[in-house]
Amino acid sequence: MLDYYCGCAKVKQDDYRGRIATTATGRTCQRWDKQWPHQHNVTPEKYPNSGLDKNYCRNPDGEVRAWCYTTDPKVRWEYCDVPTCYDTNAGDLC
């Protein structure tokens, strides 16, 4: 699918595999394979097909859109600003 390459995603963004690693408010995302500063069970092992690479924004669990845990100890997680894009001619992704 082209959406993996163009840096945009479907509406729920569960297909997003781009490199955005900051939240909508500018916080840096925590790595999915780390348990600090926030412990969690959304790991690459538990969601092997969700692209939980490094600290990139993803939607592995059916949230409204892509999100991540933050490196801010006071803010557990936030949504990310991942573009949703469609080809205006055919209605297809990117």
Side-chain angles (χ1 to χ4, degrees):
M1 298 176 78
L2 291 177
D3 50 318
Y4 292 150
Y5 302 104
C6 71
C8 59
K10 295 179 195 174
V11 175
K12 285 195 89 167
Q13 303 175 341
D14 57 341
D15 60 328
Y16 176 68
R17 297 297 183 272
R19 295 181 180 169
I20 294 174
T22 56
T23 68
T25 64
R27 288 182 173 86
T28 300
C29 294
Q30 174 180 316
R31 288 183 59 99
W32 295 100
D33 59 352
K34 301 296 180 190
Q35 296 293 321
W36 187 89
H38 304 288
Q39 291 188 359
H40 61 89
N41 63 359
V42 183
T43 63
E45 295 78 24
K46 187 171 180 181
Y47 295 87
N49 299 317
S50 295
L52 299 181
D53 301 318
K54 300 184 181 186
N55 65 332
Y56 301 138
C57 296
R58 298 290 186 255
N59 186 5
D61 59 351
E63 272 292 330
V64 176
R65 64 186 210 232
W67 62 277
C68 68
Y69 295 105
T70 78
T71 56
D72 182 338
K74 296 179 182 178
V75 179
R76 183 170 171 78
W77 70 275
E78 288 186 328
Y79 289 115
C80 300
D81 276 338
V82 171
T84 301
C85 58
Y86 292 89
D87 180 296
T88 56
N89 296 324
D92 295 329
L93 285 170
C94 301

